[in-house]
Amino acid sequence: MFRSLFDPNSAFSRGMERVWTLVVLNVLWVLCSLPVVTIGPSTAALYQVLGKVIQGEDSHTARKFFAAWRENFKCALLVWLPMLAVLVLCGFDLYFAVLNDRFLWKLLAVFALQLAAVELTFVFPLMARYQNTWRSHMKNAMLVGVGNLPRMLLIWLIWAVPVGACLVFPWLRLYLSLVWLLIGYSSLSYVTALLLRPVFRRLEQPKDDPKKDGTDAS
């Protein structure tokens, strides 16, 4: 029994290999995202490698990550820097709106943050899968989000669970922080990538051209 359990082709061994791959990806993502301005390229690289992992390619994880990081660097940076500016500006607006009890400001800030969340949910998975300009990626991310609202809300709910757990159970924060550093972001991104596969398959059902040539998702 134990011999079959640790057989390289057993489900247990493949599962542990997948977990180790996610740990490696998470650590690489955290390290490469430390400057903050590089979160975009790191996230695009993460989703690109996760696409290969889902297809069963678990080897040479670090090499694939850094290759994808370099490949997506310019485009992801052009997307991420404006998004970062929007997030910071909206965060300050929401903070001062709450301090001054300005309902309209709070409403506008929350609405802008929701639009940013739609972009961030889809833009890097799209970038990891398709060749396109950064403007087209941002436009397509919004179109795909609006066109797949229930799935997007499901993804948001999955990501919100750890945050909610920290708010409801403060004693979990330390443990969840350790999990986040080791495997949290990559595992949630892995689930997100799985949930987005049917979306991409529908986009790739050709009306004219079956190739994934980076044309607009619209």
Side-chain angles (χ1 to χ4, degrees):
M1 178 180 177
F2 288 104
R3 184 176 300 176
S4 62
L5 187 65
F6 291 101
D7 185 280
N9 296 318
S10 68
F12 176 79
S13 296
R14 291 196 301 271
M16 293 306 297
E17 183 181 11
R18 182 61 50 87
V19 170
W20 174 246
T21 298
L22 293 177
V23 169
V24 171
L25 282 174
N26 200 87
V27 172
L28 291 174
W29 181 86
V30 170
L31 292 176
C32 292
S33 298
L34 286 177
V36 179
V37 295
T38 57
I39 287 178
S42 301
T43 305
L46 175 64
Y47 276 107
Q48 187 165 320
V49 179
L50 284 174
K52 299 180 184 298
V53 170
I54 290 171
Q55 295 173 356
E57 302 177 26
D58 289 270
S59 59
H60 308 295
T61 303
R63 186 188 307 172
K64 291 175 183 174
F65 180 88
F66 286 116
W69 197 88
R70 291 190 296 268
E71 178 184 339
N72 293 287
F73 181 80
K74 183 178 179 180
C75 187
L77 202 64
L78 289 172
V79 168
W80 170 244
L81 291 181
M83 294 304 302
L84 179 61
V86 169
L87 291 173
V88 172
L89 180 61
C90 290
F92 276 116
D93 284 347
L94 186 59
Y95 175 74
F96 287 113
V98 171
L99 281 182
N100 295 285
D101 196 23
R102 299 292 183 88
F103 175 76
L104 182 59
W105 286 10
K106 286 188 283 188
L107 189 64
L108 291 174
V110 169
F111 179 71
L113 286 172
Q114 287 179 332
L115 292 180
V118 175
E119 284 286 342
L120 293 174
T121 300
F122 294 97
V123 70
F124 295 117
L126 284 169
M127 190 180 300
R129 192 173 181 98
Y130 304 100
Q131 292 292 326
N132 217 327
T133 64
W134 68 273
R135 290 184 181 88
S136 293
H137 279 311
M138 294 191 74
K139 182 187 75 172
N140 290 340
M142 187 61 64
L143 292 173
V144 173
V146 172
N148 296 272
L149 187 59
R151 193 170 294 266
M152 181 184 71
L153 294 177
L154 175 60
I155 292 171
W156 286 4
L157 177 63
I158 291 170
W159 282 83
V161 167
V163 177
C166 287
L167 294 176
V168 176
F169 307 107
W171 56 272
L172 277 177
R173 291 173 187 171
L174 176 60
Y175 302 103
L176 287 177
S177 297
L178 294 175
V179 171
W180 188 262
L181 288 174
L182 286 176
I183 198 172
Y185 192 88
S186 63
S187 59
L188 289 174
S189 299
Y190 180 77
V191 174
T192 300
L194 287 173
L195 289 172
L196 291 179
R197 289 186 79 190
V199 175
F200 292 146
R201 285 173 181 161
R202 285 197 300 272
L203 292 176
E204 291 159 9
Q205 288 178 354
K207 295 180 180 179
D208 297 312
D209 188 354
K211 295 181 181 178
K212 293 184 293 183
D213 57 359
T215 53
D216 283 355
S218 57

